[in-house]
Amino acid sequence: MVPSSEEFSSLAKVEEVEDVHPLFVGPTSEVALYSAAGSVLKVEEVEKLFYLAVERGVKNEEAQKAIFLAVQSGMNANEVLSLAVRTGLKSEEEVHALLLQQLLASFDRRRKDSELFEWEHPPVIDRKKQDPRCPFFLFKMKASAKNAQVSWRQKKHARFPPERAGYTNALRVARLAAGPDGFHLEQAGEGGQPGAISGHADDKYMGRRRRKDGILECSSVQLREVAVIKRLPRGDGISIMSYVRGLGVKVHDILFMLHCYSITVAMTFTERWFYVSSRFTEEPLYARDGLDFIDITVTLENLIKKLYQMYEQEEQEKKIMREKQDHHETETLTRQQKELMLHQREEEERKKLEDLQKRRADSKKQKCQRKELKEAAHRMNEGTEEQHGHCEDTDDASFCSPIFQLQEESDWVEPSEEEL
């Protein structure tokens, strides 16, 4: 008898079935999986289910059903993929090869994609009359520098608006999904409409990039350098540039194709005060040898943490420099103020001394003038007295001149000192 779905609505009941009907063995596996998804499963339960499936050695078809049921329980397709790879239910190389194949088949049609071309270059006649028949959602890759989280923003546009100067190319984007047949790609925009991201062909990149093939630390897989992350010129974000043709890139559940050499996409930060330090030069990106596909979600988040640490360190150094400069300016200003006060004091002392010297000179000059006046008066008095005495001693008839006689006759009075 086949168990009903109500009896196996949780993972605990699925484990109880093992005693009677071995899970993932024979025809009961499909019933057990669908029964397990009868109610919404938690991440821990799905993880346990995947580990149990791996232990039982499920076949590929049954693994796809387990993935689909995990998505049906409410989990995001990207979370299910990460969990499937981590538990060993799915091989990362296998999934990436499948996604790259779908990208190459569906989204690497730069010259043949008539819808995307019409959205990029609408006919001149229709620009003012009507919108393109198939508008796109423009996707922008954003990141929080403080939280080190990458996210996607999307907005519907009738015509292609470049994200920034020079980014005049549009690249289709896809969204990761999971169904009964496993992981697949679908239109990224809402309502099944297409989406795109702005791209830029870097003319400065000349020739082929040197390739660094080899085994990295903590990895036994042969890897090669396929792309690089660089700082945007103004430091308001970073850019991802491909070194190979037809490179598939995955960030969370969004995928896009860098279809030629030197094609570049940008990622900006939500914090306007944040900037990428000029000390950051580049971060190489590696892919498995023979597979031009990279999942850079973890790499970006780790790089953002590193860039934020560099930003804080640089800001701290700037703060210390400003404090030193302020201290130096304060010392200079204090020294200048002291010198100015000393100069003012010296000027005041000099003026006081000059005033004192001037007053002394004026006083001395006045004193000399008074002395000269007194001496002149004294000499005049002495001369008058001598003349008067001389007239009295001589004989009036013999020695006094007619002038003095007339003066005596006219009662002449000797001038006083005040008159002199």
Side-chain angles (χ1 to χ4, degrees), residues 359-420:
R359 289 197 300 269
R360 287 179 177 177
D362 293 343
S363 177
K364 186 176 181 181
K365 184 177 180 180
Q366 292 175 3
K367 188 175 180 181
C368 291
Q369 289 177 354
R370 288 194 300 269
K371 185 177 180 181
E372 290 177 357
L373 290 174
K374 287 182 180 180
E375 290 178 352
H378 183 67
R379 284 195 300 270
M380 187 174 292
N381 289 337
E382 289 181 351
T384 304
E385 291 176 357
E386 289 178 357
Q387 290 178 2
H388 185 67
H390 180 68
C391 291
E392 290 178 353
D393 293 339
T394 58
D395 186 70
D396 295 337
S398 304
F399 297 98
C400 289
S401 65
I403 297 174
F404 284 102
Q405 291 178 1
L406 291 174
Q407 287 177 351
E408 288 178 1
E409 290 177 357
S410 61
D411 296 330
W412 179 80
V413 180
E414 182 181 358
S416 63
E417 292 183 3
E418 294 178 0
E419 290 175 349
L420 292 174

Side-chain angles (χ1 to χ4, degrees), residues 239-301:
S239 62
I240 304 163
M241 188 182 74
S242 174
Y243 289 151
V244 297
R245 185 185 298 275
L247 178 66
V249 182
K250 176 179 176 294
V251 182
H252 288 305
D253 62 336
I254 300 297
L255 296 90
F256 53 91
M257 172 72 67
L258 300 179
H259 51 79
C260 64
Y261 300 115
S262 75
I263 197 71
T264 304
V265 295
M267 186 195 76
T268 55
F269 294 92
T270 56
E271 296 88 353
R272 294 185 178 181
W273 44 264
F274 179 78
Y275 63 90
V276 180
S277 173
S278 57
R279 298 176 183 176
F280 171 71
T281 54
E282 62 180 35
E283 182 82 8
L285 297 174
Y286 298 91
R288 187 184 294 267
D289 191 17
L291 182 62
D292 295 336
F293 188 93
I294 51 177
D295 185 349
I296 61 175
T297 306
V298 178
T299 304
L300 282 178
E301 292 177 350

Side-chain angles (χ1 to χ4, degrees), residues 344-367:
Q344 291 177 350
R345 192 177 302 170
E346 291 177 352
E347 283 291 321
E348 292 176 357
E349 295 292 337
R350 185 180 63 80
K351 288 181 179 180
K352 289 181 180 180
L353 181 60
E354 288 179 354
D355 292 342
L356 180 61
Q357 291 176 352
K358 185 177 180 181
R359 289 197 300 269
R360 287 179 177 177
D362 293 343
S363 177
K364 186 176 181 181
K365 184 177 180 180
Q366 292 175 3
K367 188 175 180 181

